[in-house]
Amino acid sequence: MAPAQSKVKQYKPEELDLKAISDRSYQGLSVRPFRWQLDAAAAILCGKDVVLDVGTGSGKTLYFSLPLLLNEKDISISVSPLTALMINQVTRGKE
């Protein structure tokens, strides 16, 4: 039995309009993304793996949302340990 074909659309870089994604972000989320967020979202849309090394509060969550702005029927599940991270940072500060 052949493996199931993915129904996830993978874009080619030339198919993506980063300005349009930025504009939709501003219209729908009232946030204008940074270039690195757009580049990371574009990589995701092209089916690439993404590893980011940016600080707390720098906007990592936004780039996960940006690909969803291309199609209102798309969904995403993000698992985020923000509460655990906050507790860990507060606890470390008391040591």
Side-chain angles (χ1 to χ4, degrees):
M1 176 184 258
Q5 292 294 318
S6 174
K7 293 182 181 181
V8 175
K9 175 158 174 59
Q10 289 190 5
Y11 293 82
K12 294 178 181 164
E14 59 272 11
E15 295 177 303
L16 296 174
D17 182 352
L18 298 184
K19 182 176 180 339
I21 295 171
S22 178
D23 291 344
R24 283 190 173 191
S25 173
Y26 188 73
Q27 291 167 354
L29 305 171
S30 300
V31 176
R32 185 73 66 182
F34 293 110
R35 181 60 194 220
W36 68 265
Q37 291 168 315
L38 290 167
D39 289 342
I44 290 171
L45 288 164
C46 291
K48 296 181 180 178
D49 293 333
V50 176
V51 176
L52 289 176
D53 183 14
V54 293
T56 302
S58 60
K60 293 181 292 292
T61 304
L62 177 61
Y63 95 88
F64 283 116
S65 302
L66 292 176
L68 299 173
L69 299 175
L70 292 182
N71 185 339
E72 63 187 39
K73 294 182 179 182
D74 285 346
I75 61 170
S76 174
I77 298 173
S78 294
V79 179
S80 179
L82 291 180
T83 302
L85 179 61
M86 289 185 315
I87 292 169
N88 179 276
Q89 289 177 341
V90 169
T91 304
R92 278 196 164 160
K94 293 180 180 180
E95 294 176 352

